[in-house]
Amino acid sequence: MELASLEAKESALFPTYARHPLTFVRGEGSRLWDDRGNVYLDFMSGLAVCNLGHVPLQVKRSVEEQLGRLWHVSNLFQSPQQEALAKLLADHSCTDLAFFCNSGAEANEAAIKLARRYAQRVQGKERYEIVTFEKSFHGRTLATLTATGQDKVKDGFYPLPEGFAYARYNDIESVEARINERTVAVMLELVQGESGVHPADPVFVRELALLCQERELLLIVDEVQTGMGRTGKLFAYEHYGIEPDIVTLAKGLASGLPVGAMLGKRKLREAFTPGSHASTFGGSPLAMAAGIATLRTMLDERLPERAAAAGRYALRRLAAELQHAPPVKAVRGLGLLLGIELDRPVEPFIRELQRKGLLVLPGGPYVIRFMPNLYVTHDEIDQAVERLADALFHASDK
Ligand SMILES: *Cc1c(COP(=O)(O)O)cnc(C)c1O
């Protein structure tokens, strides 16, 4: 469709997104092509979803094979595909059990429900409150936007569900002050991605894990963005030497097919009974085929290690090339979840970089998020850094 005709006619979509005037028609690895034949280097990976790059071959083959056999039967029947992905996830994480849904918000909803039911049906305690953090992001459903520690996602949606308290990130005393007899869990991201790429402090995370143990609170780690190799480990909690009770996943789990997963320790098994939670589409054979192929590829090709090395290289190059660029305040991150903090809004730079053929994402108003796929080469990183430097050094001309 021509851009002009799109703009002339009012869109039939609700205007929930500030969409860029670009239409992509094809993707392969780190590259995307628009409808005018221009090629772009993709350093946003569809919001940390396409961790294997665009249209990864092994995943494509598995999905095509499943597509020819069976699409959907519902969760009233056995699912060998769900069993297989659940087993793979259990074998490669500190958790034992999985519940499959369709998105990150749904995975976090499942975690919130499981934590409450564990307290109320297994422990017999009237507990329901979950401590989350300022600047966190956990999704857009009513419960998960309430869990989110940012006002912008709540505007106009009151009244919100009860049962959330907000602590300051990387501040253990602030967490202690929010805990009371109703508290059941603490939920956090180990790198706050959406609000600007803020990694958790390792000392804070270890103290938090100990505190949860002492007070018998569940530790829920939202790995919707940080999971699936993004930070240079399969799961970000591995960097911190902790074992969460619940881990939530979505974005990178199935390379672009909609999947969410809530993973939990065996002790939580009895909290959910038949009928206590469900999803019509959750864990469909197609989504599971994509998830299994994605995870197998990651493990077979040791992609988290590759991401760690590429992330170290990218961080070094970004620091070296951008440290004297006038708008740059800081460069930080973990693995291939990197952020470049500016002293001014990033939106004009995001658009300028698009014109230079580089796709990057904001993280809050002042941070450029840099999230290439896990196969990214040094050469692609160099090209991206060069385009960034070009945009940021000429910032004062604008
Ligand atoms: C993206 C994201 C979510 C929400 O995932 P959806 O699939 O959009 O519902 C939740 N938590 C974190 C940390 C995220 O980055």
Side-chain angles (χ1 to χ4, degrees), residues 102-106 108 137-140 189 194 222-225 250-251 369:
N102 311 286
S103 68
E106 275 181 83
N108 288 333
F137 185 81
H138 298 296
R140 300 289 196 152
E189 299 153 272
E194 197 273 343
D222 177 346
E223 297 244 19
V224 170
Q225 186 161 165
K251 292 190 164 103
R369 249 186 303 177

Side-chain angles (χ1 to χ4, degrees), residues 156-169:
F157 298 125
Y158 292 86
L160 301 178
E162 279 181 59
F164 296 91
Y166 311 94
R168 212 164 310 120
Y169 202 53

Side-chain angles (χ1 to χ4, degrees), residues 113-255:
K113 287 179 72 175
L114 183 71
R116 287 185 176 187
R117 240 183 103 98
Y118 178 67
Q120 295 172 30
R121 289 290 174 273
V122 178
Q123 298 183 315
K125 293 178 176 158
E126 277 315 301
R127 290 174 161 191
Y128 57 86
E129 215 166 87
I130 297 179
V131 177
T132 67
F133 291 87
E134 292 170 5
K135 298 197 176 118
S136 59
F137 185 81
H138 298 296
R140 300 289 196 152
T141 61
L142 278 171
T144 58
L145 74 82
T146 306
T148 295
Q150 302 187 61
D151 289 338
K152 67 174 188 189
V153 302
K154 307 183 185 186
D155 181 44
F157 298 125
Y158 292 86
L160 301 178
E162 279 181 59
F164 296 91
Y166 311 94
R168 212 164 310 120
Y169 202 53
N170 288 333
D171 179 346
I172 196 72
E173 280 159 25
S174 160
V175 180
E176 283 180 319
R178 299 298 177 285
I179 294 172
N180 58 48
E181 68 284 355
R182 293 178 304 278
T183 310
V184 60
V186 177
M187 175 156 95
L188 81 164
E189 299 153 272
L190 292 172
V191 180
Q192 291 186 327
E194 197 273 343
S195 69
V197 190
H198 302 284
D201 168 40
V203 174
F204 165 74
V205 174
R206 280 196 293 277
E207 286 174 347
L208 181 64
L210 274 177
L211 182 66
C212 286
Q213 237 167 33
E214 281 167 20
R215 307 289 181 92
E216 292 184 14
L217 304 175
L218 298 175
L219 180 59
I220 305 172
V221 175
D222 177 346
E223 297 244 19
V224 170
Q225 186 161 165
T226 55
M228 299 307 288
R230 175 54 51 192
T231 68
K233 300 269 189 195
L234 188 56
F235 304 112
Y237 73 76
E238 297 170 42
H239 289 287
Y240 291 89
I242 58 160
E243 290 205 357
D245 299 293
I246 299 176
V247 174
T248 56
L249 296 177
K251 292 190 164 103
L253 182 52
S255 298

Side-chain angles (χ1 to χ4, degrees), residues 36-97:
R36 292 154 182 206
N38 299 311
V39 61
Y40 298 78
L41 195 52
D42 180 5
F43 271 50
M44 52 187 282
S45 305
L47 312 192
V49 167
C50 306
N51 286 3
L52 302 184
H54 292 284
V55 197
L57 203 61
Q58 300 92 321
V59 183
K60 179 174 180 271
R61 283 208 194 101
S62 291
V63 173
E64 277 174 350
E65 206 216 321
Q66 187 63 48
L67 198 58
R69 276 197 292 161
L70 186 66
W71 295 11
H72 179 84
V73 291
S74 89
N75 282 312
L76 299 181
F77 300 98
Q78 299 298 316
S79 173
Q81 296 89 359
Q82 285 185 28
E83 297 284 353
L85 184 53
K87 176 79 167 52
L88 260 182
L89 287 165
D91 286 348
H92 296 279
S93 75
C94 67
T95 64
D96 307 291
L97 301 163

Side-chain angles (χ1 to χ4, degrees), residues 29-30 51-53 58 228-234 239 297-316 334-338 372-381:
S30 300
N51 286 3
L52 302 184
Q58 300 92 321
M228 299 307 288
R230 175 54 51 192
T231 68
K233 300 269 189 195
L234 188 56
H239 289 287
T297 303
M298 265 189 198
L299 296 167
D300 289 350
E301 302 189 15
R302 295 171 162 272
L303 287 181
E305 277 172 47
R306 208 182 148 129
R312 281 192 296 273
Y313 179 74
L315 199 57
R316 203 164 64 231
L334 197 57
L336 287 172
L337 175 45
L338 298 170
N373 71 67
L374 312 191
Y375 287 111
V376 70
T377 63
H378 284 196
D379 185 48
E380 288 166 341
I381 291 169

